[in-house]
Amino acid sequence: MITVSNLAFSYPNQQMLSWPNFSTKASEKNVLVLLGPSGCGKTTLLHLIAGLLKPLKGEISVLDQRIDQMSRKECDAFRGKNMGLLFQETHYWESLTMAENLALASSLAGNSKDSASILSRLADLGIDNLENKKPHHCSVGERQRLGVAMATIHEPKIVLADEPTSALDDVNCTKVLDLLENEVINKGAFLLIISHDKRITNRFNNVIDLSSAAV
Amino acid sequence: MKLTKLAWKNTIHDKLGNGLSIILIAFSFALIVLVSAISTQAEKDMKRQIRTVDMVIGAKGSPLQLILSAVYHADKPTGNISVLEARRIQKHPLVKESVPLSYGDNVEGYRIVGTTPTYLEWYKASLSEGEIWAKAFEVVLGSDVAKALNVKVGDELVSSHGLAGALEQHDDHPYVVKGILKKSGSPLDWLILTELSSIWQAHAHHAPEKKQTTASKEKSDDELEDHNHAEGGEHDHEEVQQQAETDEYLEDKQYTAVLIKFRSLAGMMQLPRLVNEKTNMQAAVPQFEVDRLFDLVGNGAVALQSVGVILLFLAAISLFVQLYRSFSKRRYEMALMRIYGASSIKVSLVILYEAILIGFFGAFLGFILSKIGAFITILFPISAVIQQTEVVWFSGLELQLIGAIVGLCVLASVIPFIQNYRMDISRTLSR
């Protein structure tokens, strides 16, 4: 699904970042955890895989397509269709309700859902009672569920999660990981998590340690 | 979900910030439209009222004042003129018709104008009740006067000397209301009309002594007696007219002004100059004076409209600040749209839609405000001269303004649009 080789990137006036080669093709399970300490370029790597950044050198293939060679427009369309992104802090559209956020996410990704499907998705995550509430009126846990729903509403083939548990306590960490397992892995999509949270490696054993990445 | 719905939701979400821009746009729109409507209506009204009058003769002074006082009854007269001198012009072969006016009294601020029934014909005024005056001290009221004074046919009115207020009451000469006119949208609506001799008799004691000859004084007294006698119904209006025709009787009588209608354009070419150069009177041409007035008034209207335009530019600046602030605050939301596959241009369009929506809201509110303003000016006229009589529901100016507002809104959104288009999603999400 995802293959990274000889990858290097540099922000202006900053040191070069590079990462070890890896490929998810050999993974038995639909999950890969990229583990590494702060500052090793985990988020940069995720952004490179999502096509939000262009590498300085190297190759990135996602679903057998060279995302590093796509134009910005192609990249946006490809990402929208095939990927879902989950962040440490849930991003949402403040003026919209929970249901409307899901509707817009699916519509932008080109996989519009009717209101019944959206309600059913919210029900799957146990937040259907918050359908008409705006996210900023909900708790952090409820917003995190919304984030998972938004990342998966358009049925992507890959979900990229950036530090999804780092701000959560153990109970909520387990809940989010359960959710990701149920909503992503068990539904046949591939889950790529980047994190420095050891609780994740305790749960999923397909891990690449990025601490060897040259800085 | 469509992007227009997102733009709509964003617009109504930030009520305070967007509300300020909408209010500024609305007020500028309403101010520009209302000032334009009032000045257009005023010009139309004033020009309509002078259609029947080719020339006005009166005492020497400001020609504009003469027109304003004699045609619109909105200013003090320039003075009085001798009836005999005025009659020489009235009988000129180039004059088709004339209407003499004599005034100097009021009832609670409403002018009493001595004239002839021709005056009513010129303005196509018709009676809603009662009949026209038949003798001195009988009056016909304009519709607005009747309404304001709350009087009916048969009531008596006591006049006061002067054109406003109650300086000196003519208790000895009460006027009897004989008729009430239908509303005509002309100055007649605000006037109390009567026989010319009513004014002369009421002011008999104000006439200059050297002109108040014994003969005429006796005549005046006799005349009053006659009129008192006439209240018993024994003589009529024609008798008064015949009496008024004698030069001896008219020697000390005065008109305030005479409205003239020419037979042909030759009158316009010759008579004003003749009156101004060869008599002690002045001639003023309403058309010239009203054009001159609107050159002056027009500058005021332009100044007011300029305030509206400045407000509109302030609204555009406010909108730019609002959009810029809103965009900065919602960078994550814009980046999120890109994450879900929306192209840069599609995301930037949301900003443009929001700007256009704010512009339309502002223009719509401004449209409503301008119509409310127009209704208020109809209910509470600015003056007797400028009476808003109709609401223009939609004009070319409004269409142009909507176009200008949308254009300004698009302009205000250009910088946030470009910034959004060039946004680095990775950096935005990493902040």
Side-chain angles (χ1 to χ4, degrees):
Chain A
M1 284 217 172
I2 302 168
T3 304
V4 168
S5 58
N6 303 319
L7 197 59
F9 179 82
S10 171
Y11 289 107
N13 305 319
Q14 287 188 24
Q15 285 180 311
M16 178 87 78
L17 291 166
S18 63
W19 298 270
N21 296 343
F22 68 88
S23 175
T24 62
K25 281 180 182 168
S27 300
E28 290 174 11
K29 286 186 176 178
N30 277 349
V31 62
L32 173 67
V33 180
L34 300 175
L35 188 71
S38 294
C40 76
K42 295 189 301 293
T43 299
T44 303
L45 177 59
L46 185 130
H47 286 183
L48 284 163
I49 294 168
L52 302 176
L53 289 173
K54 292 282 176 207
L56 207 62
K57 63 173 192 172
E59 294 176 7
I60 310 165
S61 291
V62 178
L63 299 169
D64 298 326
Q65 304 241 13
R66 286 286 298 276
I67 198 162
D68 57 298
Q69 290 181 340
M70 289 180 188
S71 69
R72 193 162 77 160
K73 197 176 175 184
E74 287 169 338
C75 216
D76 287 339
F78 180 81
R79 185 175 51 246
K81 187 179 174 196
N82 299 300
M83 296 183 195
L85 269 81
L86 188 64
F87 305 94
Q88 181 182 342
E89 213 175 288
T90 307
H91 296 313
Y92 49 84
W93 294 284
E94 207 178 298
S95 62
L96 304 181
T97 63
M98 300 281 262
E100 286 168 343
N101 264 282
L102 273 188
L104 180 61
S106 66
S107 156
L108 290 173
N111 188 6
S112 291
K113 302 284 181 187
D114 59 23
S115 50
S117 308
I118 283 166
L119 195 60
S120 146
R121 194 84 190 99
L122 288 170
D124 290 345
L125 296 164
I127 48 173
D128 52 326
N129 57 326
L130 306 172
E131 178 195 7
N132 295 319
K133 258 193 159 183
K134 290 195 174 159
H136 57 275
H137 293 139
C138 299
S139 69
V140 176
E142 288 164 343
R143 285 205 291 266
Q144 191 72 305
R145 283 163 188 261
L146 173 69
V148 173
M150 284 170 71
T152 56
I153 185 72
H154 53 300
E155 296 157 18
K157 295 184 177 74
I158 298 168
V159 172
L160 307 176
D162 185 4
E163 303 276 12
T165 57
S166 60
L168 303 177
D169 58 24
D170 288 349
V171 176
N172 279 310
C173 172
T174 307
K175 278 183 182 174
V176 167
L177 293 180
D178 286 347
L179 212 57
L180 285 172
E181 193 160 359
N182 290 333
E183 298 300 324
V184 182
I185 302 168
N186 295 348
K187 288 187 175 172
F190 188 87
L191 176 64
L192 177 73
I193 303 174
I194 59 158
S195 180
H196 68 276
D197 191 345
K198 296 275 183 186
R199 293 173 298 186
I200 294 179
T201 50
N202 294 337
R203 173 101 174 219
F204 305 113
N205 49 21
N206 193 15
V207 179
I208 293 175
D209 192 348
L210 295 175
S211 54
S212 59
V215 175
Chain B
M1 177 185 271
K2 289 183 177 167
L3 292 183
T4 44
K5 188 176 177 184
L6 177 65
W8 161 258
K9 290 269 180 181
N10 286 341
T11 305
I12 57 171
H13 182 68
D14 189 359
K15 291 182 184 71
L16 193 68
N18 292 333
L20 177 69
S21 301
I22 288 170
I23 286 169
L24 275 172
I25 292 171
F27 274 106
S28 54
F29 184 101
L31 184 64
I32 294 170
V33 169
L34 200 56
V35 168
S36 165
I38 289 173
S39 59
T40 307
Q41 178 76 36
E43 191 166 356
K44 205 170 113 187
D45 255 24
M46 288 187 81
K47 288 192 170 166
R48 182 172 54 82
Q49 289 166 23
I50 56 167
R51 272 204 303 250
T52 49
V53 185
D54 293 328
M55 183 180 81
V56 179
I57 55 175
K60 285 201 183 293
S62 156
L64 180 59
Q65 188 185 343
L66 178 61
I67 299 298
L68 287 175
S69 67
V71 180
Y72 302 107
H73 297 278
D75 203 349
K76 288 175 185 167
T78 49
N80 288 328
I81 55 174
S82 154
V83 170
L84 293 179
E85 195 174 15
R87 285 216 163 184
R88 282 199 287 276
I89 301 298
Q90 287 177 271
K91 287 173 185 168
H92 194 282
L94 289 173
V95 173
K96 184 183 174 190
E97 218 170 6
S98 64
V99 170
L101 303 174
S102 191
Y103 44 93
D105 289 342
N106 77 92
V107 175
E108 292 183 29
Y110 295 101
R111 284 185 183 191
I112 301 171
V113 178
T115 185
T116 63
T118 313
Y119 192 35
L120 275 68
E121 289 166 21
W122 279 21
Y123 286 99
K124 295 184 171 56
S126 56
L127 289 156
S128 67
E129 55 180 297
E131 57 193 23
I132 200 162
W133 65 86
K135 56 180 187 282
F137 297 104
E138 288 185 348
V139 291
V140 166
L141 305 187
S143 63
D144 292 335
V145 184
K147 206 170 163 186
L149 298 179
N150 194 24
V151 291
K152 55 186 186 302
V153 173
D155 286 354
E156 283 194 353
L157 300 171
V158 175
S159 67
S160 303
H161 189 59
L163 294 176
L167 291 173
E168 179 194 334
Q169 290 209 320
H170 296 302
D171 298 320
D172 48 340
H173 296 304
Y175 287 92
V176 179
V177 178
K178 293 298 284 184
I180 294 168
L181 295 174
K182 285 181 186 165
K183 192 165 176 69
S184 61
S186 72
L188 269 55
D189 294 338
W190 297 85
L191 298 178
I192 298 169
L193 303 170
T194 184
E195 170 66 47
L196 276 163
S197 56
S198 313
I199 307 293
W200 294 336
Q201 286 172 37
H203 291 95
H205 61 287
H206 291 292
E209 268 183 38
K210 62 176 182 181
K211 291 207 167 188
Q212 190 77 7
T213 61
T214 313
S216 63
K217 193 170 187 303
E218 278 170 11
K219 191 148 210 164
S220 189
D221 290 340
D222 289 344
E223 189 178 70
L224 184 59
E225 265 179 44
D226 282 350
H227 277 290
N228 290 339
H229 175 63
E231 278 167 18
E234 289 182 22
H235 80 235
D236 60 20
H237 175 74
E238 280 175 22
E239 269 182 89
V240 177
Q241 283 295 97
Q242 282 165 7
Q243 198 177 30
E245 291 301 314
T246 63
D247 280 0
E248 191 188 359
Y249 170 73
L250 294 174
E251 191 186 6
D252 63 336
K253 299 293 180 285
Q254 292 181 319
Y255 291 147
T256 312
V258 180
L259 312 180
I260 307 272
K261 202 185 270 187
F262 298 131
R263 280 189 198 286
S264 65
L265 265 178
M268 184 70 86
M269 306 294 287
Q270 295 175 27
L271 277 179
R273 185 183 290 179
L274 175 81
V275 173
N276 287 329
E277 290 178 0
K278 307 280 183 196
T279 71
N280 287 325
M281 303 179 293
Q282 105 169 289
V285 177
Q287 184 66 54
F288 297 161
E289 297 308 320
V290 169
D291 284 347
R292 201 158 66 85
L293 176 68
F294 272 96
D295 281 346
L296 299 169
V297 173
N299 289 338
V302 167
L304 267 175
Q305 281 185 315
S306 303
V307 173
V309 172
I310 291 167
L311 262 181
L312 198 59
F313 275 101
L314 283 177
I317 292 169
S318 152
L319 180 62
F320 164 72
V321 172
Q322 166 62 12
L323 288 174
Y324 192 84
R325 194 181 61 91
S326 168
F327 165 68
S328 302
K329 198 175 144 196
R330 291 189 286 129
R331 274 174 183 273
Y332 282 111
E333 296 188 17
M334 298 299 182
L336 197 59
M337 291 177 75
R338 293 280 304 282
I339 292 291
Y340 283 97
S343 64
S344 305
I345 193 87
K346 207 169 174 183
V347 175
S348 300
L349 276 176
V350 176
I351 291 174
L352 185 66
Y353 291 156
E354 282 178 37
I356 292 172
L357 266 176
I358 290 169
F360 269 116
F361 270 131
F364 180 70
L365 187 64
F367 178 82
I368 305 270
L369 282 178
S370 69
K371 300 310 155 199
I372 292 173
F375 273 114
I376 291 172
T377 57
I378 287 175
L379 293 175
F380 307 101
I382 296 165
S383 75
V385 180
I386 303 169
Q387 291 188 49
Q388 195 85 355
T389 51
E390 56 178 337
V391 175
V392 177
W393 285 106
F394 205 76
S395 68
L397 174 70
E398 279 153 324
L399 207 62
Q400 285 170 11
L401 264 179
I402 290 171
I405 286 169
V406 171
L408 278 173
C409 290
V410 170
L411 203 65
S413 70
V414 166
I415 292 177
F417 185 98
I418 292 171
Q419 282 196 331
N420 186 60
Y421 184 79
R422 296 167 62 182
M423 181 173 59
D424 182 336
I425 321 175
S426 172
R427 186 173 288 182
T428 304
L429 291 174
S430 303
R431 274 177 189 161

